Amino acid sequence: MGYYLAVDMGASSGRHMLGHIQDGKLILEELYRFKNEAIERNGALVWDADGLFAHILAGMRRCRELGKIPVSVGVDTWGVDFVLLDDVGDRLGEAVAYRDSRTQGADALVEEVLSFPALYRRTGTQKMILNTIYQLTALKRDDPGLLERARRLLMSPDYYHHLLTGRAVNEYTIATTTSLVDAENKTWDRELIDLLGLPQRLFGDLTPPGRAVGTLRPEIVERVGFSCQVVLPPSHDTASAYLAVPAVDDKSVYLSSGTWSLMGIESMSPIITDFGRDSDFTNEGGYNYRFRYLKNIMGLWMLQSVRKETGEQYSFQDLAKLASESGTPLAIVPVNHDAFLAPDSMVEAVKSVCRETGQAVPETLGQVLQCVYYSLAQCYGDTVRELEEITGRTFTSINIVGGGSQDAYLNALTARVTGLPVYTGPVEATVIGNLMAQMIAAGEISDFTAGRQIVRDSFAVTEIRPE
């Protein structure tokens, strides 16, 4: 029996989980959990990259303390964010967070070079001002000297794999969140990189998940108390989550529900249409080059922000109860409105957008929450209908995985609005997908299909019927 270690870092928290196969089932054991939050430093919103790596090592030391040494470890994180390395492999500057305001105006600079429709035809990536392409364009505008000194770009999980092994490897699934990857050829779009005036040396060849990066550096071995392989999972957290969806056919829409809601389907090739572009669908890389054709939806970030505003005096269950007791929602807001990306007050942002759209303004906390809940469910319903129009397929269910699969109120609303049965679970889909890729690489699971069967056999799934 071999243990495998998944380090899953989201935009609000991270955790280390060990996995092993026992009697044909995947057994999970949480070892370590830590908070993550972007912080203000030197006028920018950044991630505490050094602190996060200290947490990675602390969780790995826990393996040694328990005497459960993993065969391999892999790190997954959120998308789009990156660091730059100098000529000796040290980080240059801060790990700037995607919600930082530096990207303002960067989209216009890109469109001076290439229109968005032309960009979408190449990359299949939706336009979001937080995308890596706009972050790099802003950096080129604001701090060109930093780019000149840089020798390599690593996405967030690539950077932590580099710190563990000393090797700089660009993993494919996380790279597809940059809007710099040729969707058809599954490689960096070198011509696009030249058009943008970015240094080619920053972009190393793309490596698919399931490949070994290397073993732990000697100094890391000394700090954690053991050695093991570092193996690339689908290092974009949504790619790992989609790998673990226990769907039995292609008639289900997937929803990875967390800080962001990533709603879509799997496709063996990119889907690049004008309607998809205008409806904000994106093509992201997945395991075995299965594309995740999905829409990025603001998701539980809105509820997390409201809860934080209240001093976290309410649990998420309390928030749902307040919403449900508030009756019919006074308004429905477009949840992907820019006002909700990084507001000083989410409550005030919701009220402001209601005024802006000529709707009644919710006054109580419960009314604001009811507006958010129904708006999310409505967006999910709209997304299913758009997917059907784009693909010509009829979908018969929704599989919800991730932390949001525990939100019974939101998931019941989703079933009601879409008219489709909703299947919730597993909660730990991202971790499971991370572990599956490592286990397939080691030969402990035979292939992708066998892995999904193990997920179905190992974790409970709850059905919610539409009312």
Side-chain angles (χ1 to χ4, degrees):
M1 178 184 69
Y3 291 102
Y4 299 81
L5 179 62
V7 181
D8 171 36
M9 295 202 297
S12 57
S13 66
R15 62 272 179 88
H16 293 56
M17 295 191 78
L18 276 178
H20 70 275
I21 302 292
Q22 182 174 313
D23 298 326
K25 294 185 178 182
L26 177 58
I27 309 299
L28 301 180
E29 179 182 359
E30 182 175 309
L31 302 185
Y32 186 83
R33 184 174 287 265
F34 55 97
K35 288 187 176 181
N36 183 28
E37 185 177 25
I39 56 175
E40 290 281 351
R41 185 182 288 163
N42 299 322
L45 192 66
V46 305
W47 303 109
D48 181 9
D50 296 334
L52 290 174
F53 188 59
H55 281 299
I56 290 175
L57 298 183
M60 292 175 70
R61 282 194 293 272
R62 184 69 179 141
C63 293
R64 174 73 273 174
E65 293 167 5
L66 295 173
K68 297 179 178 180
I69 307 304
V71 174
S72 62
V73 60
V75 180
D76 66 74
T77 78
W78 62 95
V80 307
D81 286 343
F82 63 92
V83 301
L84 298 173
L85 304 183
D86 64 16
D87 54 4
V88 297
D90 291 336
R91 190 180 76 239
L92 286 168
E94 298 281 4
V96 179
Y98 60 82
R99 294 188 195 275
D100 183 75
S101 61
R102 67 173 173 171
T103 53
Q104 291 180 2
D107 54 339
L109 294 176
V110 170
E111 290 181 30
E112 289 176 5
V113 174
L114 191 71
S115 70
F116 178 66
L119 178 64
Y120 190 83
R121 285 194 295 273
R122 302 172 80 114
T123 68
T125 308
Q126 76 174 115
K127 182 178 179 180
M128 298 181 74
I129 195 61
L130 49 80
N131 285 352
T132 316
I133 189 173
Y134 302 122
Q135 293 196 46
L136 283 168
T137 298
L139 186 60
K140 181 172 178 281
R141 175 193 63 197
D142 301 335
D143 194 357
L146 188 64
L147 275 181
E148 290 173 9
R149 297 196 304 277
R151 290 298 175 268
R152 194 65 185 272
L153 175 146
L154 294 179
M155 303 301 287
S156 294
D158 299 333
Y159 177 56
Y160 296 113
H161 291 144
H162 166 67
L163 292 179
L164 289 171
T165 66
R167 296 193 61 203
V169 175
N170 288 104
E171 190 270 330
Y172 165 69
T173 69
I174 197 78
T176 63
T177 70
T178 63
S179 199
L180 292 166
V181 171
D182 182 313
E184 291 286 353
N185 295 321
K186 306 175 186 68
T187 59
W188 294 116
D189 188 329
R190 297 286 178 179
E191 183 181 19
L192 173 61
I193 289 166
D194 277 340
L195 285 172
L196 296 170
L198 300 173
Q200 291 282 356
R201 65 178 180 273
L202 299 181
F203 305 93
D205 292 342
L206 298 183
T207 303
R211 302 285 178 85
V213 181
T215 55
L216 300 180
R217 291 187 294 133
E219 52 267 48
I220 300 299
V221 172
E222 185 175 346
R223 294 176 69 178
V224 302
F226 63 88
S227 183
C228 71
Q229 285 282 324
V230 174
V231 171
L232 294 175
S235 63
H236 184 211
D237 50 12
T238 312
S240 276
Y242 265 46
L243 175 57
V245 173
V248 296
D249 55 39
D250 63 356
K251 295 180 180 179
S252 180
V253 174
Y254 299 175
L255 173 55
S256 177
S257 181
T259 300
W260 288 88
S261 290
L262 298 311
M263 191 170 199
I265 59 173
E266 285 186 313
S267 172
M268 296 311 297
S269 58
I271 302 172
I272 299 178
T273 67
D274 291 348
F275 181 73
R277 178 198 68 216
D278 295 340
S279 301
D280 291 329
F281 281 90
T282 196
N283 293 271
E284 295 178 350
Y287 187 81
N288 271 3
Y289 294 112
R290 300 167 71 96
F291 283 86
R292 295 168 288 130
Y293 185 66
L294 56 84
K295 178 175 286 193
N296 285 277
I297 299 167
M298 200 68 72
L300 302 187
W301 162 252
M302 299 181 75
L303 297 172
Q304 292 165 354
S305 297
V306 172
R307 180 171 180 260
K308 184 176 179 181
E309 243 177 280
T310 66
E312 299 189 352
Q313 61 178 297
Y314 299 103
S315 68
F316 286 108
Q317 291 80 4
D318 293 335
L319 298 185
K321 187 171 185 291
L322 284 171
S324 66
E325 291 172 347
S326 296
T328 304
L330 297 177
I332 300 293
V333 295
V335 294
N336 277 353
H337 195 292
D338 287 346
F340 304 136
L341 184 62
D344 293 332
S345 165
M346 184 63 73
V347 170
E348 290 306 315
V350 170
K351 292 180 177 181
S352 176
V353 172
C354 289
R355 293 188 196 98
E356 179 186 311
T357 53
Q359 301 181 82
V361 178
E363 296 298 334
T364 68
L365 179 61
Q367 289 172 341
V368 169
L369 289 164
Q370 188 73 314
C371 173
V372 171
Y373 272 107
Y374 268 84
S375 297
L376 285 170
Q378 185 65 56
C379 186
Y380 298 160
D382 292 343
T383 300
V384 172
R385 288 185 286 273
E386 290 166 343
L387 282 166
E388 291 184 330
E389 181 171 348
I390 291 166
T391 64
R393 292 157 57 185
T394 298
F395 297 102
T396 58
S397 62
I398 301 173
N399 274 84
I400 301 181
V401 298
S405 68
Q406 301 174 100
D407 193 323
Y409 184 58
L410 177 58
N411 297 335
L413 286 180
T414 300
R416 183 190 308 170
V417 168
T418 63
L420 297 176
V422 167
Y423 298 94
T424 63
V427 175
E428 301 292 357
T430 302
V431 163
I432 294 165
N434 182 322
L435 293 170
M436 278 174 59
Q438 294 184 57
M439 290 177 170
I440 292 170
E444 191 143 352
I445 296 176
S446 59
D447 57 23
F448 165 86
T449 302
R452 277 199 170 155
Q453 185 60 54
I454 288 173
V455 175
R456 287 192 286 271
D457 293 340
S458 304
F459 302 98
V461 172
T462 301
E463 180 181 7
I464 303 172
R465 305 293 301 184
E467 295 177 1

